[in-house]
Amino acid sequence: MMQATIRQDAGMATIALAGRFDFNTHRDFRAAYEPLVSDDAVRAVTVDFSGVDYLDSSALGMLLMLRDKMGGCGKDVVLSGVQGSVRQVLEIANFSKLFRIV
């Protein structure tokens, strides 16, 4: 199971993920970011991966969907806390060309 916790501060929203980020979590992830798409106070979204120990190809697809939705309304998406095998998967998929990873 994955948990998604949202924090907002001064136009920045952070979605902190914990657990396995895979196909079974697509509803939870969408429910976490959907309100941020239409929130005019949010200018950028950071997805915090420091609590994620696994992600699969469907998680990559969910990140691309997030990027498209946020980009459609002029909001940046940043990936943070990426480490270990999660970092390897994102690097292999060339996500550093699509996202700012900090």
Side-chain angles (χ1 to χ4, degrees), residues 4 9 22 30-31 40-41 45 47 49 56 63-64 72 78 87-90 101:
D9 182 39
D22 59 22
R30 188 178 314 126
D40 292 336
V45 175
V47 182
F49 278 89
D56 67 5
L63 288 172
L64 292 174
V78 176
R87 177 174 284 281
Q88 287 179 317
V89 170
L90 292 173
I101 301 176

Side-chain angles (χ1 to χ4, degrees), residues 8 32-43 45 69-70 73 75:
Q8 285 184 253
Y33 77 71
E34 280 291 340
L36 304 175
V37 175
S38 57
D39 187 339
D40 292 336
V42 174
R43 295 186 313 275
V45 175
K69 294 228 181 204
M70 292 299 172
C73 49
K75 301 178 185 191

Side-chain angles (χ1 to χ4, degrees), residues 12-101:
M12 306 294 283
T14 300
I15 304 171
L17 304 179
R20 291 172 60 92
F21 188 19
D22 59 22
F23 178 77
N24 296 319
T25 62
H26 73 276
R27 280 192 194 96
D28 294 335
F29 186 65
R30 188 178 314 126
Y33 77 71
E34 280 291 340
L36 304 175
V37 175
S38 57
D39 187 339
D40 292 336
V42 174
R43 295 186 313 275
V45 175
T46 298
V47 182
D48 180 358
F49 278 89
S50 56
V52 175
D53 51 15
Y54 173 85
L55 62 82
D56 67 5
S57 61
S58 62
L60 298 178
M62 288 184 264
L63 288 172
L64 292 174
M65 182 89 67
L66 171 68
R67 180 177 171 264
D68 289 348
K69 294 228 181 204
M70 292 299 172
C73 49
K75 301 178 185 191
D76 288 331
V77 177
V78 176
L79 308 182
S80 72
V82 179
Q83 54 204 353
S85 62
V86 171
R87 177 174 284 281
Q88 287 179 317
V89 170
L90 292 173
E91 286 174 0
I92 289 167
N94 279 325
F95 268 49
S96 59
K97 292 188 167 100
L98 302 172
F99 294 91
R100 193 158 60 92
I101 301 176

